[in-house]
Amino acid sequence: MGDSGFLKSAAASYTGKVAADVTKDIAKGAIKKSAKTAWGCSVWIINLVAMLVVVIVLFFGVKWWLSSYTHHGEGIEVPNLYGMTHQTALHQLDSVGLLVVANDSSYVEGMPAGAIIQQNPGPGMMVKSGRIIYVTINSLTMPCEKIPDLIDNCSFREAEARLKSLGFSLLSPRLIDGEKDWVYGIQYRGRNLMNGDEVPIGSELTLIIGNNATSEELDMEELREGGAGGDDDGSSDDIDDFLEVLE
């Protein structure tokens, strides 16, 4: 019985020791795993913070570079060039670091030839140094328009509408013997025009139209006047002959 109790006591002691060792190993493993997990989380947080710092630095760096490259916030006010000659505008813009290019021409009555009548960008706008200002200058010569096929081909009203639509002005028409309101000619400054002649736009033209008196009617009128005079002479002769008979 003594040996049996000793064996049981030894077995129980060994079992407890083994259990303690297992518990200790499990605890050590848990601690290692926890430490490893904590380290992994720390590394992830550090990487995330580093990425955020890099993104912020890049953002502000690119913003600073773009601002310095495009001169953000800096600008030159475009002056009003209307009415200036191209040469005068060239000198004025060159003094403030701008360029001028004439890319079109038009005609404005009353403006000097070569004067600037439009600009882009407009006056007062803020632009960067070296910007090109495009301008339209007044034409050196007044633009012309061809006389359409109106002479002996249409009525006064039709010719009037056509010519005004082309930009011409009309003076009081000149009347001649012919069919009423029929266009027989067009004059510019006393010169007779032909269909297809080029005349400056805005010019004052005179239409030559008929007054509803034909050559046959004129001949008949002359005959009436002549006949009236002959009748007067004949009546006096008849009166003379009548007096002679009475005597």
Side-chain angles (χ1 to χ4, degrees), residues 44-87:
W44 183 82
I45 292 174
I46 292 171
N47 290 336
L48 179 61
V49 171
M51 290 176 60
L52 288 175
V53 171
V54 170
V55 170
I56 292 172
V57 170
L58 286 175
F59 173 78
F60 285 102
V62 171
K63 185 177 180 181
W64 175 84
W65 178 79
L66 288 174
S67 178
S68 62
Y69 180 77
T70 60
H71 302 285
H72 181 70
E74 300 176 10
I76 302 171
E77 184 176 352
V78 179
N80 187 2
L81 306 177
Y82 185 81
M84 292 185 186
T85 63
H86 183 270
Q87 196 67 23

Side-chain angles (χ1 to χ4, degrees), residues 133-200:
I133 310 301
Y134 295 97
V135 297
T136 301
I137 62 173
N138 200 31
S139 179
L140 300 177
T141 57
M142 186 181 296
C144 295
E145 186 69 47
K146 291 184 178 180
I147 297 297
D149 186 13
L150 303 175
I151 300 174
D152 203 20
N153 194 38
C154 67
S155 66
F156 170 73
R157 291 187 178 277
E158 182 180 351
E160 181 183 35
R162 290 279 302 278
L163 292 174
K164 285 185 176 180
S165 68
L166 294 175
F168 296 110
S169 299
L170 293 180
L171 300 175
S172 298
R174 176 186 165 193
L175 300 178
I176 63 171
D177 297 334
E179 185 178 346
K180 182 176 179 59
D181 290 340
W182 187 253
V183 177
Y184 290 98
I186 303 174
Q187 289 184 335
Y188 170 60
R189 294 183 177 178
R191 178 171 63 91
N192 291 324
L193 300 176
M194 302 293 292
N195 295 329
D197 286 351
E198 292 189 349
V199 181

